[in-house]
Amino acid sequence: MAQTTTTTTTRTTDIALDTIAATLPTTPNFTPSPSLSHEDQIPLSLQNTPSHPHHNDENTNNARPLPLSKAGAIALIATLTGTTVVSSISTGLLTVALPRMVGELGLARGLLLWPASVYALTTGCLLILVGSIADLVGSRKVFLLGCFLQGIFVLACGLSKTGIQLIMFRAMQGIAVAACLPTAMSIITTTFASGQRRNLGLAFMGAGQALGFLIGLVLGGLFVDTIGWRAGYYMCAAANAIFFGISYWNIPLDRRILPMSWSRLGKEIDWVGAVLASTCLALLSYVLASITASVANIRDPSNISLLIISLLLVPAFIFWVGHQEKIGKPALIPNSLWRNTAFTSICLMLMLSWAVLNGMEWFFSLFFQDVQHLSALQTSIRFIPSVISGSALNIVTGFLAHKFRADYLVVITSLIAALAPLLMALVNPAWPYWYAAFWAMFLGPFSSDVLFTVAALVITDVFPEKTQALSGAVFQTLAQFGISLGLAIMASISTSVTENSDYAVKTSPEALMEGYRVTFWVGFGWMLLACMVGVLGLRRVGKVGLKRE
């Protein structure tokens, strides 16, 4: 189950810097297939990826992860998962309660999707910048700041008096989440050495998203018709305060060899690359959100201008980081990384899978409420199979990721997940829930939730230890961008098909279903494309998440 947003907190132990052990051994986190050549058997972090100054480990936090007891590891992962759950609850609440919130807050129809879209917008465009800063300042500090701010703005959402206030506070919450997502992954990957504990830490983060989303859906359905949707946000804020307090005492101290200084902050971060990437993502995400709200917005001159500018920033970014690599200076995401076939393929699969899953979630909700005329509570209950399967898959993948080839895991589960949009493309709205919709709900998360753990392991393995927050930012940015792009395309297709249907009343269930059905076919096609990418691009990967000797 995807989470459109995840925050996490960690288990702290007061650790003196002089206890930091020697540097990590270079034993590859990789088990080759016997049939591969010597060239194919190099680890992911070295495949087709030239060394460059930004990825050197000199004067960095490249120390052996400090050992934690079993109880300490459980406490750390539980705290991370708990904060992830809190973050996702607010998204689940919004998904179900939005129609009621629109009426109470007087939100204009044209701004209907903005409470959700602006959150993804601010999160997505700041992840890389915040991740780069966290690698120098320290993941613990940045994470705690983000966690604190998230609690403030979640509470503010519950206190909103107007629709504009809600949008503004959701935007601020997105900024706070951008500080939590990459740093949470960094804390896991720098606290736990490669192996099952790291795998489980990443897997439980994904499971927490699914669990939190379910809780938000159910609470939203209950509260909307009883004590009101605001109570859900008050509960989230209270729970966030508890986890913030726990995380303050439980997150391991940042390990840094060199002291922090403004000079290092200025020289060791690719600020130009970060600004180019963040601006491009912000502009493109804004245009996509605008199109999602109404397809007609693509004709707006301002949107056309912003779209052109964002597209021009792509080659500008590529040129800049290539230039930085050439002269031996820090490059945000070196162009050489994209020559790593496994890295590029897993990134494409991640975007496609999350685009389909989140698009499916949105259109599931519309199908149940606008076509089958179910209540918010009845709709939220129908999401339970998706959340159960998604959470279970994340946890199982954490235990088994190192036992099976990565390409087998992601391709097989993507094929299974492709059945979900196929079933909904063929569904008869008059059928009982158990005939098709239940199975579509149950099978939908198979790809994205297995891919969450596998992709996190692949991407964090490609980046050196000193830039683990940046690697987490790249991972989360790809997922967020996939969500935005998928929703925009699916919404555009659905609206266009419905408007051009033969039905006189375009808001009738029959007209709406015609648009939804085509959208489900699109999702099916995207999942097949993801399978092809996995077959072709991951065939040399072997196993990931293995324990380093």
Side-chain angles (χ1 to χ4, degrees), residues 85 88-89 92-93 210-221 235 387:
V85 169
S88 298
I89 287 176
L93 282 169
L211 179 61
F213 191 75
L214 169 63
I215 295 173
L217 287 174
V218 175
L219 289 180
M235 289 177 59
V387 177

Side-chain angles (χ1 to χ4, degrees), residues 274-299:
V275 171
L276 286 174
S278 298
T279 304
C280 175
L281 289 169
L283 296 179
L284 189 55
S285 298
Y286 173 84
V287 174
L288 292 174
S290 180
I291 295 172
T292 303
S294 174
V295 180
N297 289 338
I298 191 59
R299 303 188 187 95

Side-chain angles (χ1 to χ4, degrees), residues 7 142 145-147 149-151 153 171-181:
T7 60
V142 176
L145 176 63
C147 185
L149 292 177
Q150 179 185 243
F153 292 119
M172 295 299 104
Q173 186 186 349
I175 294 174
V177 169
C180 294
L181 291 177

